[in-house]
């Protein structure tokens, strides 16, 4: 782990979807992965905003997008995008066959009006 950033590249993600949404039977728009402990939570546009909730509960400030093809990081403590960072333990994103929003079968038909800005 790099003490200056709080990033531990060796920790795998907690799963393929938002931990809290999966536990509650909810859904998400996009996913974010904690770079310190691997917790996968939903983004701030999602109804649950669980990635931000994880930061507030743990103080782990850096997340990486958990969307296929995206590798940017976000630092909650500075509200800044970090265009690069270390390669984190695989997998680097949700399964490509999992839709966004997701997961399949739990997204309401009117999901777009439920997004947060």
């Amino acid at each position: 782990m790099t003490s200056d950033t709080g990033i531990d590249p060796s920790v795998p993600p907690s799963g393929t979807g938002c931990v809290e949404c999966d536990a509650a039977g909810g859904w998400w728009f996009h996913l974010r992965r904690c770079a310190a402990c691997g917790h996968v939570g939903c983004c701030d546009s999602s109804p649950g905003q669980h990635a931000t909730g994880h930061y507030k509960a743990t103080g782990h400030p850096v997340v990486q997008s958990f969307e296929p093809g995206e590798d940017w990081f976000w630092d909650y403590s500075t509200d800044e995008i970090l265009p690069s960072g270390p390669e984190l333990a695989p997998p680097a994103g949700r399964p490509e066959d999992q839709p966004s929003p997701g997961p399949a079968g739990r997204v309401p038909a009117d999901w777009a009006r439920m997004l947060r800005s």
Side-chain angles (χ1 to χ4, degrees), residues 1 12 16 25 30-31 35 40 44 56-57 68 75 93 98 107-108 113:
M1 178 150 110
T16 60
H30 290 137
L31 298 170
V40 175
D44 283 351
K56 290 177 179 175
D75 187 333
Q98 177 180 293
V107 181
R113 76 166 184 82

Side-chain angles (χ1 to χ4, degrees), residues 2 7-13 33 35 64 71 73 84-92:
T2 56
I7 295 174
D8 185 345
S10 70
V11 177
R33 171 188 180 172
Q64 185 178 37
D71 61 359
F73 289 78
S84 65
E87 185 174 328
L88 301 180

